């Protein structure tokens, strides 16, 4: 795995891992693991943890229970998600790729399985800012800190728009966030921008299939290159607890008006040869 600031490339085995210590933040851990017929044994420790399959034939064992996590792929179907409270031992086995992430918790909610039919699917935005957001673990679902979404941004579209922030600035709640990208076709790409005008932080990153990008602070919109269909998995956690996880982020003032005009006052083409008298 290669780490360059907030941009992480998967290792040759396809695996990724981020801890609060390696990310330089407080709450959120995240990882991606690929199994090839082997088993992985884990324990949630002091965290609530969620397992999200991305592809392959996988199963998770919780005590005497076994749950099927198989998924044809992120562009083919919604996942079966497993939520684990702290101090829960689990085993994932099979052949495939799954994401896992967690945040500190006290154990208020039991282990459970969230099936595709239980996942709220929402269409957001409009015009070329249209995208699909699947609430794998939304604020209406039981968790202490975790929020998890899968976002689909079609070829040439934008998501995370208007640009918004949840880093404690301008009255927003402080919530950490990771973006794990899958892109179709594999040679496709997206642009991910992190920026905070208040402290001159500004980076534009090229996201490719399998990349992980952290959003440490500021605004963080995403644009899919034409011909590239973009999926990203968001794990989020911060100071918001329980129902407070539904607190909306704060939009960038210069672009908040677009919620009332998704067309964005688009230019009409072609430009006339001569202006009308």
């Amino acid at each position: 795995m290669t780490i360059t600031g907030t941009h992480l490339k998967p290792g040759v085995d396809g695996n990724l891992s981020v801890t609060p210590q390696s990310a330089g933040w407080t709450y959120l851990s995240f990882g991606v693991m690929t199994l090839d017929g082997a088993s992985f044994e884990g324990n949630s420790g002091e965290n609530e943890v969620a397992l999200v399959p991305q592809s392959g034939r996988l199963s998770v064992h919780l005590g005497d229970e076994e749950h099927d996590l198989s998924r044809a792929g992120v562009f083919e179907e919604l996942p079966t998600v497993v939520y684990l409270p702290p101090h829960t031992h689990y085993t994932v086995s099979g052949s495939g790729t799954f994401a896992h992430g967690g945040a500190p918790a006290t154990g208020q909610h039991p282990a459970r399985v969230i099936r595709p039919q239980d996942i709220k699917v929402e269409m957001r935005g409009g015009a070329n800012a249209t995208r699909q957001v699947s609430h794998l673990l939304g604020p209406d679902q039981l968790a202490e800190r975790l929020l998890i979404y899968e976002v689909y941004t079609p070829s040439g579209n934008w998501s995370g728009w208007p640009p918004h922030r949840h880093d404690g600035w301008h009255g927003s709640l402080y919530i950490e966030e990771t973006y794990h990208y899958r892109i179709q076709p594999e040679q496709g790409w997206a642009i991910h921008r992190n920026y905070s005008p208040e402290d001159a932080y500004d980076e534009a990153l090229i996201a490719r299939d399998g990349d992980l990008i952290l959003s440490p602070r500021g605004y963080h919109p995403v644009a899919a290159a034409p011909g590239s269909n973009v999926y990203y998995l968001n794990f989020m956690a911060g100071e918001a607890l329980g129902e407070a996880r539904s607190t909306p982020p704060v939009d960038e003032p210069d672009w908040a008006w677009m919620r009332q005009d998704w067309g964005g006052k688009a230019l009409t083409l072609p430009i006339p040869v001569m202006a009308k008298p």
Side-chain angles (χ1 to χ4, degrees), residues 76 94 98 101 103 132 140 144 151 171 194 216 239 250 256:
E76 280 73 39
F98 69 98
Q132 175 180 312
D140 57 326
E144 294 185 48
V151 180
N194 291 323
E239 64 182 4
V250 172

PDB file of all heavy atoms in Angstrom, residues 76 94 98 101 103 132 140 144 151 171 194 216 239 250 256:
ATOM      1  N   GLU A  76     -23.436  -4.144  -9.761  1.00  0.00           N
ATOM      2  CA  GLU A  76     -24.463  -5.114 -10.111  1.00  0.00           C
ATOM      3  C   GLU A  76     -25.603  -5.194  -9.103  1.00  0.00           C
ATOM      4  O   GLU A  76     -26.758  -5.395  -9.473  1.00  0.00           O
ATOM      5  CB  GLU A  76     -23.837  -6.521 -10.248  1.00  0.00           C
ATOM      6  CG  GLU A  76     -23.133  -6.760 -11.560  1.00  0.00           C
ATOM      7  CD  GLU A  76     -21.816  -6.014 -11.670  1.00  0.00           C
ATOM      8  OE1 GLU A  76     -21.094  -5.933 -10.654  1.00  0.00           O
ATOM      9  OE2 GLU A  76     -21.510  -5.501 -12.771  1.00  0.00           O
ATOM     10  N   GLY A  94     -13.980 -17.289   2.401  1.00  0.00           N
ATOM     11  CA  GLY A  94     -14.397 -17.370   1.010  1.00  0.00           C
ATOM     12  C   GLY A  94     -13.404 -16.695   0.089  1.00  0.00           C
ATOM     13  O   GLY A  94     -12.222 -16.516   0.424  1.00  0.00           O
ATOM     14  N   PHE A  98     -13.955  -7.379   0.615  1.00  0.00           N
ATOM     15  CA  PHE A  98     -14.893  -6.708   1.516  1.00  0.00           C
ATOM     16  C   PHE A  98     -14.208  -5.537   2.197  1.00  0.00           C
ATOM     17  O   PHE A  98     -12.984  -5.520   2.382  1.00  0.00           O
ATOM     18  CB  PHE A  98     -15.467  -7.675   2.560  1.00  0.00           C
ATOM     19  CG  PHE A  98     -14.477  -8.168   3.589  1.00  0.00           C
ATOM     20  CD1 PHE A  98     -14.401  -7.570   4.839  1.00  0.00           C
ATOM     21  CD2 PHE A  98     -13.634  -9.234   3.307  1.00  0.00           C
ATOM     22  CE1 PHE A  98     -13.497  -8.024   5.795  1.00  0.00           C
ATOM     23  CE2 PHE A  98     -12.725  -9.697   4.255  1.00  0.00           C
ATOM     24  CZ  PHE A  98     -12.658  -9.086   5.499  1.00  0.00           C
ATOM     25  N   GLY A 101     -14.855  -1.193   8.628  1.00  0.00           N
ATOM     26  CA  GLY A 101     -14.509   0.065   9.283  1.00  0.00           C
ATOM     27  C   GLY A 101     -15.217   0.178  10.601  1.00  0.00           C
ATOM     28  O   GLY A 101     -16.215  -0.518  10.857  1.00  0.00           O
ATOM     29  N   ALA A 103     -15.590   2.674  14.602  1.00  0.00           N
ATOM     30  CA  ALA A 103     -15.374   3.869  15.414  1.00  0.00           C
ATOM     31  C   ALA A 103     -15.694   3.522  16.865  1.00  0.00           C
ATOM     32  O   ALA A 103     -16.467   2.589  17.135  1.00  0.00           O
ATOM     33  CB  ALA A 103     -16.268   5.011  14.936  1.00  0.00           C
ATOM     34  N   GLN A 132     -26.794   8.560  -7.225  1.00  0.00           N
ATOM     35  CA  GLN A 132     -27.561   7.680  -6.345  1.00  0.00           C
ATOM     36  C   GLN A 132     -26.796   7.481  -5.050  1.00  0.00           C
ATOM     37  O   GLN A 132     -25.590   7.222  -5.061  1.00  0.00           O
ATOM     38  CB  GLN A 132     -27.801   6.320  -6.996  1.00  0.00           C
ATOM     39  CG  GLN A 132     -28.490   5.316  -6.068  1.00  0.00           C
ATOM     40  CD  GLN A 132     -28.727   3.975  -6.708  1.00  0.00           C
ATOM     41  OE1 GLN A 132     -29.232   3.900  -7.825  1.00  0.00           O
ATOM     42  NE2 GLN A 132     -28.370   2.906  -6.001  1.00  0.00           N
ATOM     43  N   ASP A 140     -30.978   7.001  10.189  1.00  0.00           N
ATOM     44  CA  ASP A 140     -32.233   6.404  10.632  1.00  0.00           C
ATOM     45  C   ASP A 140     -32.050   4.961  11.101  1.00  0.00           C
ATOM     46  O   ASP A 140     -32.994   4.335  11.579  1.00  0.00           O
ATOM     47  CB  ASP A 140     -33.264   6.439   9.502  1.00  0.00           C
ATOM     48  CG  ASP A 140     -32.764   5.738   8.243  1.00  0.00           C
ATOM     49  OD1 ASP A 140     -31.549   5.801   7.985  1.00  0.00           O
ATOM     50  OD2 ASP A 140     -33.592   5.129   7.542  1.00  0.00           O
ATOM     51  N   GLU A 144     -23.975   3.917  16.823  1.00  0.00           N
ATOM     52  CA  GLU A 144     -23.563   4.973  17.752  1.00  0.00           C
ATOM     53  C   GLU A 144     -22.894   6.124  17.008  1.00  0.00           C
ATOM     54  O   GLU A 144     -23.334   7.273  17.106  1.00  0.00           O
ATOM     55  CB  GLU A 144     -22.651   4.381  18.826  1.00  0.00           C
ATOM     56  CG  GLU A 144     -23.402   3.400  19.726  1.00  0.00           C
ATOM     57  CD  GLU A 144     -22.566   2.886  20.882  1.00  0.00           C
ATOM     58  OE1 GLU A 144     -21.930   3.719  21.572  1.00  0.00           O
ATOM     59  OE2 GLU A 144     -22.524   1.662  21.085  1.00  0.00           O
ATOM     60  N   VAL A 151     -22.186   5.562  -3.034  1.00  0.00           N
ATOM     61  CA  VAL A 151     -22.605   6.624  -3.944  1.00  0.00           C
ATOM     62  C   VAL A 151     -22.211   6.241  -5.371  1.00  0.00           C
ATOM     63  O   VAL A 151     -21.070   5.831  -5.618  1.00  0.00           O
ATOM     64  CB  VAL A 151     -21.975   7.976  -3.556  1.00  0.00           C
ATOM     65  CG1 VAL A 151     -22.431   9.074  -4.514  1.00  0.00           C
ATOM     66  CG2 VAL A 151     -22.331   8.335  -2.113  1.00  0.00           C
ATOM     67  N   GLY A 171     -20.059  26.087  12.132  1.00  0.00           N
ATOM     68  CA  GLY A 171     -21.175  25.461  12.835  1.00  0.00           C
ATOM     69  C   GLY A 171     -21.438  24.022  12.456  1.00  0.00           C
ATOM     70  O   GLY A 171     -22.409  23.422  12.955  1.00  0.00           O
ATOM     71  N   ASN A 194     -10.266  18.198  -2.205  1.00  0.00           N
ATOM     72  CA  ASN A 194     -10.386  18.596  -0.800  1.00  0.00           C
ATOM     73  C   ASN A 194      -9.898  20.029  -0.683  1.00  0.00           C
ATOM     74  O   ASN A 194      -8.768  20.329  -1.101  1.00  0.00           O
ATOM     75  CB  ASN A 194      -9.507  17.716   0.108  1.00  0.00           C
ATOM     76  CG  ASN A 194      -9.990  16.284   0.215  1.00  0.00           C
ATOM     77  OD1 ASN A 194     -11.179  16.012   0.241  1.00  0.00           O
ATOM     78  ND2 ASN A 194      -9.051  15.350   0.287  1.00  0.00           N
ATOM     79  N   PRO A 216      -9.955  14.973   5.200  1.00  0.00           N
ATOM     80  CA  PRO A 216      -9.582  15.386   6.552  1.00  0.00           C
ATOM     81  C   PRO A 216     -10.282  16.649   7.021  1.00  0.00           C
ATOM     82  O   PRO A 216     -10.503  16.833   8.208  1.00  0.00           O
ATOM     83  CB  PRO A 216      -8.070  15.588   6.448  1.00  0.00           C
ATOM     84  CG  PRO A 216      -7.852  15.963   5.013  1.00  0.00           C
ATOM     85  CD  PRO A 216      -8.868  15.196   4.230  1.00  0.00           C
ATOM     86  N   GLU A 239     -18.055  13.281  16.028  1.00  0.00           N
ATOM     87  CA  GLU A 239     -18.631  13.625  17.318  1.00  0.00           C
ATOM     88  C   GLU A 239     -20.137  13.400  17.380  1.00  0.00           C
ATOM     89  O   GLU A 239     -20.711  13.362  18.465  1.00  0.00           O
ATOM     90  CB  GLU A 239     -18.327  15.086  17.651  1.00  0.00           C
ATOM     91  CG  GLU A 239     -18.958  16.098  16.690  1.00  0.00           C
ATOM     92  CD  GLU A 239     -18.580  17.528  17.026  1.00  0.00           C
ATOM     93  OE1 GLU A 239     -17.762  17.721  17.950  1.00  0.00           O
ATOM     94  OE2 GLU A 239     -19.090  18.442  16.369  1.00  0.00           O
ATOM     95  N   VAL A 250     -22.574  21.590   6.127  1.00  0.00           N
ATOM     96  CA  VAL A 250     -22.707  23.002   5.768  1.00  0.00           C
ATOM     97  C   VAL A 250     -22.221  23.195   4.331  1.00  0.00           C
ATOM     98  O   VAL A 250     -21.097  22.821   3.986  1.00  0.00           O
ATOM     99  CB  VAL A 250     -21.897  23.884   6.738  1.00  0.00           C
ATOM    100  CG1 VAL A 250     -21.873  25.330   6.263  1.00  0.00           C
ATOM    101  CG2 VAL A 250     -22.481  23.795   8.145  1.00  0.00           C
ATOM    102  N   ALA A 256     -24.269  27.229  -2.656  1.00  0.00           N
ATOM    103  CA  ALA A 256     -25.480  26.704  -2.034  1.00  0.00           C
ATOM    104  C   ALA A 256     -26.718  26.951  -2.883  1.00  0.00           C
ATOM    105  O   ALA A 256     -27.684  26.178  -2.841  1.00  0.00           O
ATOM    106  CB  ALA A 256     -25.659  27.310  -0.644  1.00  0.00           C
TER     107      ALA A 256
END
